[in-house]
Amino acid sequence: MNSRFSFDVIVVGSGIGGLAAAIRADSLGASVCVVEKAAHLGGATAWSGGQVWIGANHVAERMGLDDSEEETLLYVQSIAGAHPELFDPYMAKEWISGAIEAANWFETVGAIEWRLIPNYEDYYYPEAPGSKKNGRYLTGEPIDGIELGENRKLLVDAPHWPIGITYEEMFDWGGVSARDRWDKEIMIDRKLSDTMTFGQGIAAWFVKALFDRSIPVFTEQPVTSLLIESDKVVGIESCTSSGNIEISGEVILATGAHDWSPMLSSQFVGIPTEHGGSLAPTTVAGDGITLGTSAGAATSAVPGTAAPITPGYKLPTPIFEGDSGFRGCYEHCMPHTILVNRNGERFCDDSFHPDVILKAMQLDANGDKPNLPFFMIWDEWHHSRYGLGITGPGKPYVNGLVASASELDSLASQLGINPDGLAATVTDFNVHATLGEDPHFGRGTNHSVRTFRGDGDHHPNPNVGPVIEPPFYGMRMRLLNTGIAAGGLVAGTAGKVLRDDGSEIEGLYAVGECVTRTTGGGAGYNSGYSLSRAMTYGYLAATAIVNSSDD
Ligand SMILES: Cc1cc2nc3c(=O)[nH]c(=O)nc-3n(C[C@H](O)[C@H](O)[C@H](O)COP(=O)(O)OP(=O)(O)OC[C@H]3O[C@@H](n4cnc5c(N)ncnc54)[C@H](O)[C@@H]3O)c2cc1C
């Protein structure tokens, strides 16, 4: 079966970038549709933590918090510092001021109600110039599923977060992994009312706004090629076993990152497959890059180690349909744990994920990666208090995931770690850890890690405690992508896709994680950049298309 349609704007992908573009285009009077590869809407956005990083935003301003666009740019520029050649100040300015405008506009038209994640520092506060202790992370107000009516079933469910509770509650209850202290009654109530928070909450707001405006949506419809006439993109084609559709119109690619393309991930990130994986939905596979380059688009990349890759693990058996089994791990940031390599040695600030990826991928003099594989080691104190992923505090771990032993050397042998090395490391770590210190790697010194990834009730340091109480536990770790790309299409002003020679490809825009971060944040990353960039460029691209058609 072949079907043909025509719209002013075709949005490819239904993460925050695509949804923002569709809502903005519709509000400006364009006819617009969303074409989505998956059966459900929301993409990696709905699986995310829902932190949207926007300096000098209107919510902080109305709360009287001090910030400015200049300080925001200073921070973005300073944390991109290691690779100044990958930082484009013009594009960074466009993103920073566009984000302030877009966040305000989406709230004004009722597409979302924002709230601030309070007292949550920038990653590199206070060292980085322009950094702030508070005020730059927005997230959505909780939203109940009933608000979406019948369309609730089209929103993807989220496996990674305690959906329903808020960041304030999580922080007040001891932090992300202090689950023995979380208020179970409140959590059950929120589950019953289908209250959505974190990334799923944000996706729910935008999906609701999409359907409130009756914007047509095609699901299970991967865009397989762009329609090109005389170097101009004039539409899309989606060929599936159930038939082909062709849609004519200007195209906004919002297909997300390249996590599930082994070829692109190996090209841009370079983590060996057996040590890697992804927390994003499996439909997030670099399609935008393939589609864009077929029309002559240029690509570029930040170093693989600059992508915000997070330590995690792979469950022996996936749990739900579409589950890859990969899970992120905050428990390695909690006290009474360390990360070690096969020699049993620590190699990084093992509570701060950017340092873990940087050092795990480091090459030795022979060109080998001595810190891969790496392992998390912890003790009964940690087990009884924090659990691990779906395993509650003190409960038995998922079968086949975790090794345990009453002695460290036996644990080391089970995991293939040098027992003498591990014993020496743990002995040395414990001497300082009992005082809450880590003189070798500075575990638990980063303010953002202490707030977000530690146990707020653990003193003197929310991230540091000795590994001392048997039995001991250990698990092989992975470096997991999070729907945040190292490489992508090169896009200029308002997301216009560019060729190698810098010329614009007519009819083609790209937003969100299918666009390289060299245009924007450069090689630097702070949590919340991705959702912020995707929403902003969705807004800007739709505005540019409608404005140019008015000329
Ligand atoms: C566990 C986790 C936590 C995270 N936390 C945060 C956070 O707190 N803050 C933050 O800023 N970022 C966070 N991220 C990253 C963030 O979720 C993504 O970078 C962001 O969602 C990207 O938005 P996007 O609109 O570009 O694409 P996505 O949200 O990835 O959506 C892309 C959509 O395009 C669809 N698609 C792909 N190919 C095609 C095709 N050929 N045709 C049609 N549709 C297609 C996909 O199915 C998907 O629905 C997190 C990610 C994960 C996994």
Side-chain angles (χ1 to χ4, degrees):
M1 186 189 72
N2 288 328
S3 311
R4 287 204 167 78
F5 303 91
S6 178
F7 290 90
D8 297 329
V9 183
I10 307 157
V11 173
V12 186
S14 68
I16 192 170
L19 295 170
I23 294 162
R24 176 70 175 166
D26 175 83
S27 298
L28 294 177
S31 65
V32 56
C33 70
V34 175
V35 187
E36 168 55 53
K37 180 178 180 179
H40 296 95
L41 306 175
T45 301
W47 285 18
S48 78
Q51 300 174 11
V52 187
W53 191 89
I54 302 178
N57 64 72
H58 68 288
V59 183
E61 192 184 352
R62 71 185 172 221
M63 293 170 71
L65 296 170
D66 173 52
D67 200 355
S68 66
E69 286 189 42
E70 291 70 30
E71 287 171 285
T72 308
L73 180 62
L74 186 63
Y75 178 70
V76 171
Q77 186 149 18
S78 70
I79 73 165
H83 291 275
E85 76 287 1
L86 297 179
F87 180 71
D88 180 336
Y90 171 80
M91 295 300 296
K93 269 192 208 153
E94 183 182 53
W95 159 42
I96 288 165
S97 48
I100 298 168
E101 181 182 321
N104 206 347
W105 185 82
F106 283 111
E107 191 163 64
T108 307
V109 299
I112 190 160
E113 287 170 24
W114 296 112
R115 70 194 281 155
L116 198 72
I117 304 176
N119 304 314
Y120 185 22
E121 303 87 348
D122 289 338
Y123 269 13
Y124 300 95
Y125 171 84
E127 305 81 27
S131 61
K132 289 282 171 194
K133 185 169 171 44
N134 191 12
R136 288 180 172 167
Y137 296 89
L138 297 182
T139 196
E141 288 287 352
I143 175 170
D144 289 349
I146 197 163
E147 301 270 341
L148 279 76
E150 268 294 286
N151 295 312
R152 167 67 179 92
K153 62 179 183 300
L154 280 176
L155 177 67
V156 68
D157 281 326
H160 296 306
W161 299 91
I163 303 294
I165 69 170
T166 64
Y167 273 100
E168 288 96 310
E169 287 166 340
M170 194 170 77
F171 291 160
D172 282 353
W173 299 341
V176 69
S177 290
R179 286 180 299 152
D180 60 329
R181 281 150 281 156
W182 289 3
D183 189 323
K184 302 290 175 309
E185 267 179 42
I186 291 185
M187 292 180 75
I188 291 167
D189 279 354
R190 302 274 169 81
K191 189 113 199 129
L192 290 173
S193 55
D194 191 24
T195 302
M196 289 178 276
T197 50
F198 297 93
Q200 196 190 20
I202 291 191
W205 277 105
F206 280 83
V207 166
K208 173 180 170 343
L210 191 79
F211 288 115
D212 285 350
R213 288 161 176 76
S214 305
I215 297 171
V217 174
F218 300 83
T219 52
E220 294 184 87
Q221 207 71 67
V223 170
T224 45
S225 56
L226 296 178
L227 303 174
I228 300 169
E229 284 174 10
S230 314
D231 287 345
K232 177 178 174 183
V233 173
V234 295
I236 62 98
E237 188 173 36
S238 169
C239 301
T240 66
S241 51
S242 52
N244 301 346
I245 64 167
E246 261 186 36
I247 310 178
S248 62
E250 297 209 46
V251 176
I252 302 179
L253 296 173
T255 55
H258 47 66
D259 293 36
W260 289 96
S261 162
M263 192 195 69
L264 292 171
S265 290
S266 130
Q267 177 187 338
F268 291 129
V269 189
I271 298 171
T273 317
E274 69 274 22
H275 300 300
S278 169
L279 296 177
T282 52
T283 52
V284 174
D287 295 12
I289 299 177
T290 317
L291 292 165
T293 50
S294 75
T299 60
S300 77
V302 297
T305 48
I309 286 160
T310 193
Y313 52 91
K314 186 166 193 215
L315 293 174
T317 320
I319 287 181
F320 57 91
E321 201 184 325
D323 183 12
S324 63
F326 290 111
R327 294 292 184 274
C329 176
Y330 292 97
E331 291 84 356
H332 75 88
C333 311
M334 304 305 273
H336 306 267
T337 51
I338 49 172
L339 298 179
V340 299
N341 61 19
R342 197 172 19 197
N343 298 326
E345 296 158 345
R346 292 180 67 220
F347 56 91
C348 58
D349 172 353
D350 33 18
S351 62
F352 188 41
H353 59 292
D355 202 45
V356 178
I357 164 77
L358 195 66
K359 308 284 170 51
M361 293 290 281
Q362 216 160 45
L363 301 178
D364 63 15
N366 302 320
D368 295 328
K369 297 189 175 83
N371 298 322
L372 288 179
F374 67 104
F375 305 84
M376 175 173 151
I377 303 292
W378 67 101
D379 71 356
E380 179 55 29
W381 199 100
H382 180 289
H383 171 229
S384 62
R385 205 147 163 105
Y386 308 125
L388 178 69
I390 54 169
T391 300
K395 298 281 185 308
Y397 291 120
V398 169
N399 241 343
L401 178 66
V402 172
S404 71
S406 52
E407 303 290 339
L408 274 174
D409 56 354
S410 152
L411 181 73
S413 306
Q414 288 182 54
L415 293 167
I417 300 173
N418 178 326
D420 295 338
L422 182 63
T425 297
V426 170
T427 304
D428 177 60
F429 176 75
N430 287 349
V431 169
H432 308 286
T434 41
L435 305 171
E437 291 167 3
D438 174 23
H440 303 310
F441 296 102
R443 185 183 170 99
T445 54
N446 178 291
H447 288 255
S448 140
V449 169
R450 288 170 73 102
T451 303
F452 181 45
R453 292 162 193 263
D455 177 349
D457 295 332
H458 187 275
H459 302 286
N461 190 319
N463 308 102
V464 179
V467 179
I468 207 160
E469 191 183 319
F472 299 101
Y473 301 92
M475 166 176 81
R476 161 95 187 274
M477 299 290 281
R478 305 259 190 161
L479 295 169
L480 301 180
N481 287 289
T482 57
I484 302 175
L489 300 171
V490 177
T493 308
K496 285 180 189 141
V497 178
L498 304 179
R499 299 185 181 86
D500 271 327
D501 64 7
S503 61
E504 290 171 7
I505 300 176
E506 236 186 295
L508 188 63
Y509 291 73
V511 306
E513 284 302 319
C514 61
V515 178
T516 174
R517 212 163 68 237
T518 58
T519 51
Y525 192 80
N526 193 99
S527 174
Y529 272 21
S530 296
L531 296 177
S532 169
R533 252 178 24 116
M535 176 185 72
T536 304
Y537 276 94
Y539 171 89
L540 293 176
T543 310
I545 292 180
V546 177
N547 286 346
S548 67
S549 66
D550 291 343
D551 293 342

